[in-house]
Amino acid sequence: MLDNEIDILITVPEFKKNEDSVQYRIYFQNQKSNSGFENHYRYSELKRFHETLQTLKTELPVFPKSYWWKSVNSNTQLIEQRRQILDSYFQNLTSIKLVRESLIYKNFLLVALKESDKRVQKENKERAKRSENQTRKKTKQLGQFITPVPNPVNMPPTPEDKRSQSMEHKPVNSQQRNERKRTSKQQSPVLNFGGSKIFRGVLSNAAKQ
């Protein structure tokens, strides 16, 4: 809801021209809170609003004329002239107390506020959707350059028959360990004796002598 209609300043700062229509941007500014919103109207919509205000039987500001013999929308100069007249019209309109207190004027403000909120919410949703799509696209592109590394924790367990064939899973008793030690000593050509390495053949020859 609007705080106080008397504090609302209405201006027409610009227009937007399309191929087949022209829309005038109406800006509603709350001078007390310095906040505002905007909405876009065609000339025909603003003319209906003016004609409704005429039922109040009070003097109204000058409203831009309509030309039935020529098209204003095709002439940028005439569009700008109409914008200037509309800007003056709304600024003077807010100074008329009877207009400000009328339901026609209050309904015009409330409808404009609702339409502005709908447009802002729609733009925010579209902006959030575009941002989400860009994030997904970047994540997908980044994933093409990353090679997934298998996690040993999540790897499937080795079947029992394969585990039994692996040396690291075979049980080794003390007798087998002793046999391996004796085999390694017999195969080793080098011995440590008094901190120095001596060939086994040298020791055997010295023993014979």
Side-chain angles (χ1 to χ4, degrees), residues 9-16 22-28 39-51 53 60-67 72-73 76-95 105 108:
L9 175 66
I10 305 178
T11 58
V12 188
E14 62 182 2
F15 64 86
K16 182 173 63 175
V22 176
Q23 289 186 330
Y24 298 89
R25 183 167 73 91
I26 311 296
Y27 186 74
F28 305 83
N39 208 358
H40 295 81
Y41 299 89
R42 300 179 65 170
Y43 170 79
S44 58
E45 296 174 318
L46 297 176
K47 185 179 180 181
R48 284 196 298 270
F49 170 66
H50 173 70
E51 292 173 349
L53 287 175
L60 300 175
V62 177
F63 190 82
K65 298 178 180 180
S66 57
Y67 304 94
V72 177
N73 293 348
T76 306
Q77 184 176 359
L78 291 177
I79 296 174
E80 175 60 22
Q81 290 178 359
R82 178 173 284 179
R83 184 203 65 78
Q84 293 177 4
I85 298 174
L86 286 171
D87 185 67
S88 176
Y89 169 82
F90 279 104
Q91 291 192 48
N92 293 324
L93 191 68
T94 55
S95 63
Y105 177 78
F108 177 73

Side-chain angles (χ1 to χ4, degrees), residues 142-183:
L142 184 61
Q144 296 176 355
F145 299 97
I146 298 178
T147 302
V149 179
N151 189 352
V153 178
N154 297 327
M155 291 181 67
T158 304
E160 292 297 330
D161 56 343
K162 292 185 178 180
R163 291 179 58 184
S164 61
Q165 296 175 4
S166 177
M167 291 297 296
E168 59 185 11
H169 292 291
K170 286 184 177 180
V172 179
N173 52 32
S174 58
Q175 183 178 358
Q176 290 176 335
R177 282 196 294 268
N178 294 333
E179 291 179 357
R180 290 181 182 177
K181 290 181 180 179
R182 288 196 296 270
T183 304

